Amino acid sequence: MLDRSIPYKNIIMRAEKSRFSGQKPPELPEGFAFKLYCPGDEKQWARLERSVDEFPSEEEALHYFTERYLPMSQLLERRCWFIWDEEKRQAAATATAWFDQMEGKRTASLHWVSTDPSYQGKGLGRAIVIRALQTLAAEEEGKSIYLHTQTWSHKAVALYLSLGFTLVQKGGLSQYQNDYPQYLPILREIMRPADFAALVQETDEKRI
């Protein structure tokens, strides 16, 4: 869930694509499986995004997905990942291996990572992120993978740090600006001291 008790600031992070090349897919708990998007799964996506408070309603989430991603449905079928609860026949988590623009250049970008709150604590969030990053490493050109997150998702910031992502000081992604260093005092107050120290130490000024 988003932590709306703190100020909202945009965060851009970057990792070397080579970190995720040639790896085996993460192992999942029994009863769960990775699944790529199929027509109709947009309803599962909307349900997941609403469950973590990214949209006010499933209808608005579905509208966004329809406008933003469905025009490229063939790409979705290779890039939009779910972790599927095989018993309940529903999605437990999602992440999309997509792309953005940075300074006029196309760059690999991780989109819309969400895990249904009822499934959290099983390692599914980390697994779905890694699976999407592996897809980006295989399908997108360039040396880097970028992502946008925010202070409201500070737990995710720690996850991305553990996977090798670093803070980007300059440059935004498509519709997302970069609020470095305004978010640093906010993160300092809410992250574990060791995580925050590592985050600041690994700040990355590299570009595409």
Side-chain angles (χ1 to χ4, degrees), residues 142-158:
K143 297 180 179 179
S144 302
I145 296 174
Y146 287 81
L147 63 83
H148 164 267
T149 187
Q150 61 274 327
T151 47
W152 287 356
S153 298
H154 51 85
K155 291 182 179 180
V157 174

Side-chain angles (χ1 to χ4, degrees), residues 8-23:
Y8 178 98
K9 296 294 179 182
N10 296 288
I11 301 170
I12 307 297
M13 303 184 77
R14 169 197 173 276
E16 292 286 346
K17 196 167 72 172
S18 59
R19 285 180 172 269
F20 312 105
S21 299
Q23 298 181 3

Side-chain angles (χ1 to χ4, degrees), residues 10-159:
N10 296 288
I11 301 170
I12 307 297
M13 303 184 77
R14 169 197 173 276
E16 292 286 346
K17 196 167 72 172
S18 59
R19 285 180 172 269
F20 312 105
S21 299
Q23 298 181 3
K24 293 181 179 180
E27 293 187 7
L28 295 175
E30 185 177 354
F32 294 90
F34 288 110
K35 177 183 181 296
L36 280 166
Y37 169 85
C38 293
D41 286 343
E42 57 268 22
K43 294 180 181 179
Q44 294 286 334
W45 187 92
R47 179 183 58 79
L48 285 173
E49 297 303 334
R50 176 65 189 98
S51 76
V52 295
D53 206 24
E54 287 283 4
F55 291 89
S57 67
E58 289 188 27
E59 291 75 16
E60 290 184 55
L62 183 59
H63 177 75
Y64 177 91
F65 189 94
T66 300
E67 293 289 320
R68 177 71 173 83
Y69 296 110
L70 275 188
M72 292 177 277
S73 59
Q74 291 184 339
L75 193 61
L76 271 179
E77 293 172 7
R78 305 200 313 270
R79 302 290 194 92
C80 183
W81 282 101
F82 296 93
I83 293 178
W84 204 255
D85 181 334
E86 296 179 309
E87 180 180 356
K88 295 184 178 180
R89 298 184 179 180
Q90 67 178 15
T94 187
T96 301
W98 212 245
F99 55 88
D100 276 302
Q101 296 289 320
M102 190 173 195
E103 296 182 345
K105 298 179 181 179
R106 174 164 163 157
T107 186
S109 183
L110 180 68
H111 283 199
W112 295 103
V113 177
S114 298
T115 303
D116 186 313
S118 65
Y119 291 97
Q120 291 177 9
K122 300 179 182 293
L124 302 184
R126 185 181 187 88
I128 197 68
V129 167
I130 293 173
R131 194 68 190 92
L133 293 174
Q134 290 172 336
T135 299
L136 283 172
E139 296 216 2
E140 281 291 322
E141 297 181 357
K143 297 180 179 179
S144 302
I145 296 174
Y146 287 81
L147 63 83
H148 164 267
T149 187
Q150 61 274 327
T151 47
W152 287 356
S153 298
H154 51 85
K155 291 182 179 180
V157 174
L159 168 62

